[in-house]
Amino acid sequence: MAARTISLVVCLLLLLGGLPVIRACTRVNTLTQYLINVAAPGTTFCFDPGVYSAYTTVKGGFKFHGPGFGKDPRPNAEGNPRDPYLAGKEAIFPSLTVRHNGFVLDGLTIQNSVTTVGPISGLQIHNCFFHNAKIYSPTAAIKVSTSLFDSVSNGAVAILDLGDSTDSSEVSNNYFRLGTFAMAVQVKHNTVVRDNMFVPSSPTQT
């Protein structure tokens, strides 16, 4: 009887759109350079809340998923995070250096910077919380979306020098909370900047 009930439930789930998607990932609460070195390209790391050291990626196609994976950290109309995962549940990185193609960050907190080295492509940053931190990407094509840039220092730039003359980067649907004379995005080349919120209002330099 129990087996028949389970079968009926499975059939109903399939008829209603399929079984829930289970995210296959390597669960991480302490990150070491060795773990990065031995991981296969395309590995998804799921980070538990905590503070992690700064590491340089050594293979392309890695995905770093934090506790905020798929959750929107931007403030709502009342000024609170749309999903309150940030309260004591962050996976915090002081900084990350990206050297290879196809790297994805989702749901992490960055406290200093994400920096790209060399002409890479396919870098994606989604649902991340940048606390007085920046992205410096002089030669990479990247996409940055639904992220919160908080406490951008006076006179600083949150996202600097995206792409080169042949790259196509995009900065969209982000929230920038800016200090005095701070700038949200400074770009030199082929970058699309759209649908972002700036508080206080700040022009984008191109």
Side-chain angles (χ1 to χ4, degrees):
M1 182 66 180
R4 180 178 295 179
T5 300
I6 293 172
S7 298
L8 287 172
V9 170
V10 170
C11 289
L12 285 171
L13 285 170
L14 290 171
L15 288 171
L16 293 173
L19 293 169
V21 176
I22 299 175
R23 184 168 38 123
C25 64
T26 299
R27 178 67 59 184
V28 179
N29 54 33
T30 301
L31 184 65
T32 65
Q33 191 66 53
Y34 174 78
L35 182 61
I36 289 179
N37 291 344
V38 301
T43 297
T44 298
F45 294 94
C46 294
F47 291 91
D48 291 332
V51 179
Y52 296 84
S53 298
Y55 285 93
T56 301
T57 63
V58 294
K59 294 189 180 82
F62 280 178
K63 296 178 176 67
F64 279 15
H65 291 174
F69 172 76
K71 301 177 181 178
D72 189 345
R74 298 173 300 165
N76 56 24
E78 289 73 39
N80 301 310
R82 301 187 189 191
D83 191 297
Y85 83 90
L86 293 173
K89 299 179 180 180
E90 301 164 83
I92 300 170
F93 281 82
S95 62
L96 284 168
T97 301
V98 182
R99 297 178 181 272
H100 296 274
N101 297 338
F103 191 63
V104 179
L105 304 176
D106 196 317
L108 300 178
T109 293
I110 308 296
Q111 290 189 327
N112 185 12
S113 65
V114 173
T115 302
T116 63
V117 178
I120 67 172
S121 63
L123 172 60
Q124 299 182 47
I125 299 174
H126 309 296
N127 308 305
C128 287
F129 176 46
F130 286 78
H131 181 68
N132 196 18
K134 67 180 181 180
I135 299 171
Y136 179 58
S137 179
T139 58
I142 74 174
K143 295 187 183 299
V144 186
S145 68
T146 53
S147 292
L148 168 60
F149 291 80
D150 191 28
S151 302
V152 180
S153 297
N154 294 351
V157 180
I159 304 179
L160 180 64
D161 292 345
L162 297 177
D164 62 26
S165 58
T166 60
D167 285 334
S168 178
S169 295
E170 182 174 312
V171 179
S172 60
N173 298 293
N174 301 288
Y175 188 102
F176 296 88
R177 188 176 288 121
L178 305 167
T180 305
F181 302 117
M183 184 175 294
V185 186
Q186 182 180 26
V187 296
K188 292 182 178 179
H189 301 296
N190 186 23
T191 299
V192 176
V193 181
R194 61 178 177 83
D195 301 327
N196 298 286
M197 176 69 73
F198 308 105
V199 179
S201 178
S202 173
T204 297
Q205 179 173 325
T206 58

